[in-house]
């Protein structure tokens, strides 16, 4: 690390140009290639996946994406069959049918669309079929459909549109969220450093790395399945960890300058010490993210690799681009007041005094009380997690002002909630007996509990494939619709198949999401176990302790559970979701738990590494657990809290993106970081470590001999400028815990004493 930092400092112009070249080249390539995202939730081997395959085989994908134009007449006596309404909407639908991207339009005023008028005659809808699937439709083409339909609106006639392609016109850019997050981060950095130049460097480093990663994710979509929210998720994670990692390194660099080190040497030492911790922390994040690969779901593979790519590039920029920029700004990494004090009074170490030292001493005096309070807070916030319901959130969860949400509500009011998510029953047909069995099945389905209507069987041109459309009497995202899927699969269909060669598969939005959720829930214990296990192994190697990894695993699970509790309360229960512009309450996306566990586990490990590494350093020197915990907390709490505020601000800013999934990620990550930094790492962890004493650092001697040795901060890098401590003496394998009976005043002097040695 030291050699890498030295090269970047000595060749700072080349280092900066290489990063700018990477950014420009990747952005250009992405612009030329274009995006090719895919939200394919189908899982091979599931029943809904088999239904989709049968439809593709028999009906060639049923054409392109199918969307709806819905109109509703208001006022007394209003009817969609009124002559003026029919004339207006027929003209609008004709114009839509003539658009180049539209393949066909099925109007309720045609013979085949008679069922598309509500019983009260006040609501009707037309089906607009595009030539391409939604992933391949240009946003401008979808916008032309919206504009043409909306032009037909008048007093007493409301026109709204729904469907996947129409939803493209409502997607918002993340630029506002990014600007807000970066602006708040800049303010926090300036308050922490007092130097405009030093405040700008973490942001510049994060922007360059995240920009390169964003372009890389676009290119990644050309060779594998990448969800459309992956670039925004990568940006969210990259800005958060990128600014934080750079903050830690800049903080260490500034300490070196205050101790009188030359600019180049201070930058090299910052990367050689804190930079190693950044690489270690980034590795834990990547391991947690890549843990999604063991689920063997193509949809999640792309998300895992895209997010990991972003983290790798932010770490790389922190240890290469950042030292080059630090050497460029020179002493301006310090504020004018700090530079003036350094010139007048000479080098002086930063003392961990004030609030940080007092808090560390307070936690030491009241570990049981504070630990119990922290556990209570985490437990209360985690309670909603037990009510977690995985399912499909759809356009009915969009903000109330969105045309897709209004179209969804109009259809639900006029035709029943199930029309927004019908089920598709597909089967191969081998003869007249199967056709008769399908007719009988339709009759049985019409009398089945939870079914609102059933369409006649539709046969492919070959006559070998047929499907029935079943409209539930409940919304697609409701538990009742999921229960209907189970009832069809377990009871109704087996009875129909018993006397024929039919093999009916149930598909549709609800069935697909339920199957996807079932696969994920079944594999979740293995996934969480692997991620936690690998993280514990890394911490075991780094800190030579059994207790530290176990506590970290428990804390990480607590952070994840509490964050999910917040997500359930806001998005599933709807506590403030409409006020925040997040739409109506609804179930949690099936893929969210896996991605959230990966990201949250990785991020929570960061603070564990930065906090405990300082405690471990002090423990190695003194063998005094109480002093190690007190000094480690006093010296790291301020920078951890500053980093947490920045990360929380960036994550919360993404609520402004307008994307429900990204808003879920933003709120969950912000809640997890806040709880991790302010409740777990600076309260519960030190309280537990005080109560456990020397047992924190226990490691069986045989295991100690077998484990390879890694060091987050190498001993030769821990010496200070004055040479007061060139190396740290090796402690005994398991020294007896030393009793510390000092009071608050003595504890404060302890912290000052250790800081005075040059930290």
């Amino acid at each position: 690390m030291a050699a890498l930092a030295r090269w970047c400092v000595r060749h700072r112009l080349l280092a900066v140009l290489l990063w700018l070249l990477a950014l420009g080249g990747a952005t250009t390539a992405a612009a030329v290639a274009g995006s090719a995202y895919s939200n394919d939730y189908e899982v091979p081997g599931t029943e809904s996946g088999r239904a989709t395959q049968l439809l593709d085989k028999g009906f060639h994908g049923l054409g392109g994406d199918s969307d709806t134009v819905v109109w509703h007449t208001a006022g007394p006596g209003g009817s969609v069959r009124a002559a003026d309404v029919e004339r207006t909407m027929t003209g609008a639908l004709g114009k839509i049918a003539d658009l180049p991207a539209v393949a066909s339009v099925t109007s309720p005023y045609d013979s085949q669309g008679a069922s598309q008028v509500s019983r009260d005659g006040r609501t009707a809808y037309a089906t607009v079929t595009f030539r391409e699937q939604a992933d391949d439709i240009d946003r401008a083409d979808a916008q032309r459909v919206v504009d043409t339909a909306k032009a037909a609106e008048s007093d007493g006639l409301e026109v709204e549109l729904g469907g996947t392609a129409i939803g493209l016109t409502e997607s918002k850019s993340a630029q506002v969220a990014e600007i807000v997050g970066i602006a708040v981060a800049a303010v926090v950095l300036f308050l922490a450093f007092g130097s405009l130049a030093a405040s700008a460097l973490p942001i510049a480093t994060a922007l360059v790395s995240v920009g390169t990663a964003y372009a890389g994710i676009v290119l990644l979509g050309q060779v594998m399945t990448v969800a459309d929210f992956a670039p925004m998720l990568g940006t969210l994670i990259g800005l958060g960890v990128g600014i934080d990692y750079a903050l830690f390194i800049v903080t260490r660099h500034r300490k070196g300058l205050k101790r009188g080190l030359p600019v180049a040497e201070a930058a090299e030492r910052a990367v050689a010490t804190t930079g190693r911790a950044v690489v270690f922390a980034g590795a834990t994040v990547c391991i947690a993210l890549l843990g999604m690969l063991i689920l063997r779901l193509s949809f999640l593979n792309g998300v895992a690799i895209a997010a990991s790519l972003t983290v790798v590039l932010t770490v790389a920029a922190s240890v290469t681009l950042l030292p080059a920029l630090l050497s460029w700004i020179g002493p301006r990494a310090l504020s004018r007041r700090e530079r003036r004090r350094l010139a007048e009074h000479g080098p002086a170490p930063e003392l961990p005094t004030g609030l940080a030292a007092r808090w560390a001493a307070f936690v030491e005096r009241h570990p049981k009380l504070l630990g119990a309070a922290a556990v209570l807070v985490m437990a209360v916030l985690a309670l909603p997690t037990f009510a977690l319901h995985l399912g499909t959130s759809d356009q009915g969860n969009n903000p109330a002002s969105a045309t897709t949400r209004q179209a969804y509500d109009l259809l639900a009011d006029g035709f029943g909630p199930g029309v927004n998510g019908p089920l598709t029953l597909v089967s191969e047909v081998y003869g007249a007996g199967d056709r008769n069995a399908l007719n009988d099945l339709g009759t049985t389905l019409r009398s089945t509990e939870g079914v609102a209507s059933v369409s006649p069987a539709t046969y492919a041109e070959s006559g070998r494939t047929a499907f029935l459309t079943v409209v539930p009497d409940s919304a697609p995202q409701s538990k009742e619709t999921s229960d209907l899927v189970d009832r069809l699969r377990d009871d109704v269909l087996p009875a129909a198949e018993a006397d024929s060669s039919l093999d009916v598969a149930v598909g549709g939005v609800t069935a697909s999401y339920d199957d996807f959720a079932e696969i994920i829930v079944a594999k979740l214990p293995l996934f969480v176990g692997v991620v936690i296990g690998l993280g514990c192994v890394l911490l075991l190697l780094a800190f030579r302790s059994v207790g530290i990894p176990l506590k970290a695993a428990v804390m990480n699970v607590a952070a994840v559970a509490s964050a999910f509790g917040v997500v359930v309360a806001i998005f599933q229960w709807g506590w403030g979701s409409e006020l925040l512009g997040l739409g109506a309450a609804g179930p949690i996306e099936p893929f969210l738990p896996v991605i959230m566990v990966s990201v949250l586990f990785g991020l929570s490990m960061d603070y564990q590494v930065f906090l405990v590494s300082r405690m471990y350093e002090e423990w190695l020197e003194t063998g005094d657990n109480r002093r190690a915990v007190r000094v480690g907390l006093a010296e790291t709490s301020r920078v951890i809290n500053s980093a947490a505020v920045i990360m929380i601000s960036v994550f919360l800013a993404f609520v402004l993106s307008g994307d429900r999934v990204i808003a879920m990620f933003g709120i969950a990550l912000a809640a997890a970081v806040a709880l991790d930094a302010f409740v777990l790492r600076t309260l519960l962890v030190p309280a537990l470590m005080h109560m456990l004493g020397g047992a924190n650092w226990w490691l069986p001697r045989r295991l100690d001999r077998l484990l390879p040795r890694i060091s987050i901060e190498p001993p030769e890098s821990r010496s200070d400028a004055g040479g007061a401590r060139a190396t740290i003496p090796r402690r005994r394998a398991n020294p007896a815990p030393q009793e510390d009976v000092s009071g608050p005043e003595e504890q404060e002097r302890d912290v000052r004493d250790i800081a005075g040695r040059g930290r």
Side-chain angles (χ1 to χ4, degrees), residues 171-183:
S171 59
K172 298 180 181 179
S173 170
Q175 291 180 350
V176 174
E178 294 171 4
I179 292 172
V180 172
I182 291 171

Side-chain angles (χ1 to χ4, degrees), residues 17-84:
L17 289 178
L18 286 175
W19 271 102
L20 293 179
L21 180 64
L23 174 61
T27 302
T28 302
V32 172
S35 61
Y37 305 124
S38 175
N39 292 333
D40 184 9
Y41 302 107
E42 297 290 350
V43 181
T46 62
E47 185 169 333
S48 59
R50 184 161 59 87
T52 301
Q53 291 173 355
L54 288 174
L55 284 174
D56 289 339
K57 177 183 176 181
F59 297 88
H60 306 291
L62 291 178
D65 187 69
S66 182
D67 295 67
T68 55
V69 178
V70 188
W71 56 98
H72 176 76
T73 55
S79 172
V80 296
R81 297 191 184 278
D84 57 335

